[in-house]
Amino acid sequence: MNLIRHFLAGYTESFILALVLWPMASLALTLPILAWLYHRDGRLRFGSAVSTYLAVLYVLGLGCFTLYPLPNGDSGLGITYGVPWQLDPLAFVGDFRREGVSTLPQIVFNVVLFMPFGFIAGRLLRWGFWRSVAAGLLVSFCVEAAQGTGLFGIYPYAYRTADVDDLIYNTSGAALGWACSAALARVLPPGALAEEGEVTHEPGFVRRCVAFWLDTLLTTLISTVIAGIVILVLHNVPGGERWVDEPWALWAECLAFVLVELVRPALHGGSTPGGAFVRMSCETRERTGARRAVFYLARLAVLGGAYLFVPLAWPALVLFYLIARRMPYDFI
């Protein structure tokens, strides 16, 4: 027990660092994670959300445990000298002869470290055995390569040992983790995934927000490209210089917003690009003719206000939805 405590003591700072980074990383990944869960499951399951956030903690811990602490100062390991690669797959035999059972914690740690990876691949990502093992091998190789190249050249020398045995242990851990996920699936099967073409016409407020966030990213991308092309053309057309100072970015953004939030859903059953990804339609009921046109114009006005006046519009929309359980344009 003292041997294990002594071994784990060297990783206390890495674990604390992972915990410190976890809230910030989870906050940054909140919307992408929700978008992915809606796309894959067709709904937001509490278990899937919790599992995904724990997976974020694991990924952070994996990086901290394998790459931290980093070299610092003007001299020392990684700065003025390095650690050679260990490429003998049977080196553990010699380690056992020299050090006995004191080598076991390191071996066990490298196996256990990648067991969550295999479990996540099998349970959360629904990957098969060989795909999960290959992914574990690839990730382990990237870690060892980072250690053996001074974080891919950021430091002049390797500051940790790149060990081929670790590659074997890590990959074995990924295989064991996948086996654990398969065993759990027999007792507690994972929920069904969304079917091809599955779309809900009764989206909740969170799903609507995630779809709008994706649409906003696409709108920004399209408007930036359009404005950039227009300005580039004006710079290269005789007499075009006088038009360069026009608010092309604003006009391009308005055009992109109309294309994404009006034209596209009107032609595709109410699904914007973001809505299609999270499997929702904004048309909560069937509308035709003038009523459908008014619905889309009202929706464009409401979302346009939310897009332009984010600090004020969103609290008002949240309050409205909590009371009415629908958006203003859904009443049309």
Side-chain angles (χ1 to χ4, degrees):
M1 184 62 69
N2 290 332
L3 182 64
I4 296 176
R5 288 176 181 172
H6 177 72
F7 173 77
L8 293 178
Y11 293 94
T12 302
E13 291 187 12
S14 298
F15 181 69
I16 293 175
L17 179 63
L19 288 177
V20 170
L21 293 175
W22 184 32
M24 293 181 288
S26 297
L27 181 62
L29 293 173
T30 295
L31 290 174
I33 288 172
L34 292 177
W36 177 69
L37 289 175
Y38 276 126
H39 176 73
R40 193 197 66 172
D41 299 342
R43 60 195 60 82
L44 183 62
R45 296 190 182 94
F46 178 77
S48 297
V50 172
S51 300
T52 305
Y53 281 106
L54 290 177
V56 172
L57 175 61
Y58 168 72
V59 171
L60 291 173
L62 183 64
C64 292
F65 279 122
T66 56
L67 302 177
Y68 183 84
L70 301 174
N72 59 76
D74 299 326
S75 63
L77 184 62
I79 304 297
T80 53
Y81 66 92
V83 183
W85 289 52
Q86 199 296 105
L87 301 177
D88 181 7
L90 299 178
F92 69 93
V93 177
D95 294 338
F96 266 116
R97 290 175 179 172
R98 291 190 308 271
E99 304 175 26
V101 295
S102 62
T103 61
L104 283 177
Q106 181 68 38
I107 295 174
V108 172
F109 176 78
N110 277 287
V111 173
V112 172
L113 182 64
F114 268 70
M115 286 183 66
F117 182 94
F119 187 87
I120 291 169
R123 181 74 177 184
L124 188 62
L125 301 181
R126 315 286 179 90
W127 289 355
F129 176 77
W130 291 112
R131 185 180 182 183
S132 301
V133 172
L137 175 64
L138 178 61
V139 172
S140 179
F141 177 80
C142 290
V143 168
E144 297 301 319
Q147 292 176 342
T149 58
L151 206 55
F152 302 108
I154 294 178
Y155 300 97
Y157 296 94
Y159 61 93
R160 298 188 71 165
T161 304
D163 194 334
V164 68
D165 285 336
D166 289 350
L167 200 65
I168 298 172
Y169 303 145
N170 295 159
T171 306
S172 300
L176 289 173
W178 188 93
C180 291
S181 74
L184 178 63
R186 295 180 181 179
V187 180
L188 186 63
L193 301 179
E195 297 180 1
E196 184 67 26
E198 179 181 334
V199 174
T200 179
H201 290 267
E202 297 179 355
F205 190 77
V206 175
R207 191 189 299 233
R208 293 173 188 257
C209 290
V210 174
F212 187 65
W213 170 73
L214 291 172
D215 291 333
T216 299
L217 292 180
L218 183 60
T219 298
T220 303
L221 177 62
I222 294 175
S223 62
T224 301
V225 172
I226 293 176
I229 292 175
V230 171
I231 293 174
L232 181 64
V233 169
L234 291 177
H235 274 296
N236 291 275
V237 171
E241 293 286 344
R242 61 185 180 183
W243 300 100
V244 171
D245 293 332
E246 293 292 324
W248 296 110
L250 177 60
W251 294 348
E253 197 161 12
C254 292
L255 174 62
F257 190 79
V258 170
L259 291 175
V260 171
E261 297 294 350
L262 176 63
V263 178
R264 206 282 184 180
L267 297 177
H268 292 83
S271 290
T272 65
F277 187 81
V278 300
R279 301 180 183 276
M280 64 157 278
S281 168
C282 66
E283 296 192 30
T284 52
R285 60 182 175 179
E286 186 176 354
R287 299 175 180 85
T288 58
R291 172 172 288 188
R292 190 166 187 261
V294 172
F295 165 80
Y296 272 107
L297 290 176
R299 180 177 180 274
L300 187 69
V302 171
L303 294 185
Y307 187 77
L308 295 175
F309 306 102
V310 174
L312 299 176
W314 280 102
L317 287 178
V318 170
L319 181 62
F320 185 93
Y321 188 87
L322 289 175
I323 297 174
R325 308 305 298 174
R326 62 181 70 183
M327 299 296 281
Y329 44 82
D330 290 332
F331 287 93
I332 299 175

